[in-house]
Amino acid sequence: MGEQKSTWFQLPEVIRDLFSRFPLRTYSAHPLPAAATTETGTLLYLWQGRRSASDPSCNPACLKYQALLRFHDIRHAVRASNNHSSPSGSLPFLVPAASSRPSSPITASKIPKWITSQSKREEIVHPREEAYTALVDHDIRLAWLYFLYLDQDNFDQVAFPLYCASASSNVLVQKSLAWQLKSAARDELLKSAVLIDSDELYDRAATAFQALSTLLGNDDHFFGEASPGLFDASVFAYTHLLLDDNMNWASTVLADSLRQHGNLVGHRDRLLAKYFP
């Protein structure tokens, strides 16, 4: 006589009958960002801390594209957000107006191409631009990471309020976010060096500022262009935040290095006055 097998997953007949009458349904996921589908205008999601939507972003990666949209006179609204809401896991991302909305949000790396497709003027890529972009994206960016996240005074006075305190009122959550930010900055810096040397980072940034100052010369915009472009936005994203009194820097070593170059300060001041009045 065969032995009847039993299992913990066998259900009583009355339960099986219930599920056969009312089967479970799996709903499709909502597109990200869910709220954006109810709005018709172009939306830029970025880090904003406790700043108003009309202010420049507190994050250079976000400010770069916020400025570029304004440089090209593309109307948009700003929405404060965080990395968890981004389809790529990082900010910024853009949701175009309903009339030109693609199937998914546009992540940071694709924003310049989209802006060019919507703009009345073309972005010109200059022969030397790639080399100078490396100075901004590497030397200045790495010094910025140390300056903001690993300089303890600046972290306590600037980074913590912008990225931790603004994200949650829970002390444990704030501490967890603080640890994540410092750890991510440290890991990024260690990709380029065995040891993190603040003096070397600041020296390399100072050399980069000198090179950018020489490149700009007496022109209003980089590469002698009549209007600011992507490279101007990349530089402005750092120079503005370093010179912004509202950042309340505790240590000013990196900003002091920038202030030695009056034409870079003037470049920042002109763009701020015209595009973020």
Side-chain angles (χ1 to χ4, degrees):
M1 184 175 182
E3 182 179 354
Q4 185 176 2
K5 294 183 180 180
S6 61
T7 172
W8 287 101
F9 300 104
Q10 286 181 337
L11 297 175
E13 184 176 350
V14 64
I15 301 298
R16 293 200 305 272
D17 182 62
L18 176 65
F19 277 97
S20 68
R21 292 172 182 267
F22 303 100
L24 296 175
R25 178 181 298 175
T26 301
Y27 293 90
S28 59
H30 290 291
L32 292 174
T37 58
T38 64
E39 303 190 57
T40 57
T42 296
L43 301 175
L44 179 66
Y45 287 78
L46 44 67
W47 284 107
Q48 201 65 353
R50 291 173 176 169
R51 298 184 171 200
S52 69
S54 61
D55 292 332
S57 172
C58 61
N59 179 278
C62 295
L63 179 53
K64 173 181 177 179
Y65 297 114
Q66 184 185 15
L68 189 61
L69 283 165
R70 295 193 178 206
F71 294 170
H72 282 266
D73 196 26
I74 296 177
R75 297 185 63 180
H76 65 283
V78 165
R79 295 290 181 268
S81 188
N82 57 63
N83 288 337
H84 297 293
S85 67
S86 171
S88 67
S90 63
L91 294 175
F93 67 93
L94 183 145
V95 179
S99 60
S100 60
R101 180 165 292 159
S103 58
S104 60
I106 299 174
T107 55
S109 62
K110 298 179 180 178
I111 290 177
K113 183 178 181 181
W114 181 86
I115 290 176
T116 299
S117 72
Q118 304 297 311
S119 178
K120 296 178 181 179
R121 64 181 176 88
E122 186 180 358
E123 275 282 342
I124 300 175
V125 179
H126 295 268
R128 297 178 294 164
E129 187 168 340
E130 184 176 352
Y132 283 100
T133 296
L135 292 179
V136 178
D137 292 346
H138 187 268
D139 292 2
I140 294 176
R141 174 175 170 267
L142 293 184
W144 167 271
L145 290 178
Y146 184 91
F147 184 66
L148 178 60
Y149 298 112
L150 299 186
D151 180 302
Q152 190 60 48
D153 291 336
N154 277 338
F155 184 86
D156 292 341
Q157 189 158 309
V158 182
F160 188 87
L162 287 177
Y163 294 104
C164 304
S166 66
S168 174
S169 59
N170 185 291
V171 175
L172 293 179
V173 173
Q174 292 177 357
K175 288 185 176 180
S176 176
L177 290 173
W179 181 86
Q180 292 176 33
L181 288 172
K182 288 187 173 187
S183 179
R186 189 175 292 107
D187 290 346
E188 188 67 18
L189 290 171
L190 289 174
K191 290 179 181 178
S192 303
V194 177
L195 297 174
I196 299 174
D197 185 332
S198 60
D199 290 337
E200 181 180 352
L201 290 168
Y202 291 147
D203 286 345
R204 290 174 69 92
T207 301
F209 285 137
Q210 176 63 65
L212 292 176
S213 176
T214 301
L215 175 66
L216 180 61
N218 295 320
D219 293 331
D220 285 344
H221 310 116
F222 284 98
F223 303 107
E225 289 295 326
S227 300
L230 179 60
F231 188 78
D232 293 271
S234 299
V235 175
F236 174 79
Y238 288 101
T239 58
H240 168 64
L241 293 177
L242 288 172
L243 298 172
D244 186 5
D245 292 336
N246 293 322
M247 292 294 284
N248 297 317
W249 296 112
S251 168
T252 61
V253 58
L254 195 56
D256 292 341
S257 178
L258 169 62
R259 287 192 180 95
Q260 295 180 21
H261 307 287
N263 60 345
L264 294 182
V265 174
H267 175 265
R268 173 261 186 180
D269 291 344
R270 286 190 299 273
L271 295 180
L272 182 66
K274 183 174 181 178
Y275 296 99
F276 293 90

